Amino acid sequence: MEVVDLKVCLHCKSCENSIRKTLCKIKGVKCVETNRALNKITVLGYVDRKIVIKEVRKTGRKAEVLASSSCHRPSTPRRRSGRAATAFKCIMPSCFVLKVSS
């Protein structure tokens, strides 16, 4: 699982929501967390960071990979525990809420 940290200028709640909506549509994205105060977006999932940056730029905003996210981890297969890392607090956006019909 990949964690992509991006620096993106987030002016308002509308900017934040449009980017979140765009990133939620990418196949493999599990969680999108935004921090408007730090102008930071964190994406968690099985995604390529180039695709994430490309999609953010399609919304008309500049995106840069933060230094903490720029190191590449070896792509060795790992067990999937079903839990995110303990330091990563994920706020599940509405695009992941499953509606169950009775």
Side-chain angles (χ1 to χ4, degrees):
M1 191 163 301
E2 183 87 19
V3 176
V4 181
D5 291 322
L6 300 173
K7 179 180 179 183
V8 180
C9 187
L10 301 170
H11 299 114
C12 60
K13 189 73 173 171
S14 177
C15 294
E16 191 175 340
N17 289 338
S18 69
I19 291 174
R20 178 185 296 272
K21 184 177 177 180
T22 300
L23 294 176
C24 287
K25 292 179 182 178
I26 300 173
K27 184 177 180 178
V29 171
K30 301 295 180 191
C31 183
V32 177
E33 187 174 296
T34 58
N35 186 330
R36 207 170 4 152
L38 297 176
N39 288 324
K40 180 180 174 184
I41 296 175
T42 304
V43 180
L44 175 68
Y46 298 97
V47 294
D48 182 13
R49 69 182 74 230
K50 291 179 183 179
I51 292 172
V52 174
I53 292 171
K54 182 179 175 182
E55 291 299 316
V56 171
R57 289 183 179 163
K58 281 184 182 179
T59 66
R61 290 159 186 87
K62 293 181 182 179
E64 300 174 11
V65 177
L66 291 176
S68 63
S69 173
S70 64
C71 61
H72 293 284
R73 295 182 184 107
S75 59
T76 56
R78 295 183 185 190
R79 284 186 309 167
R80 294 173 70 181
S81 65
R83 292 184 358 177
T86 56
F88 188 84
K89 180 183 174 192
C90 186
I91 301 170
M92 295 304 286
S94 61
C95 59
F96 292 112
V97 176
L98 298 175
K99 295 182 180 177
V100 179
S101 59
S102 303

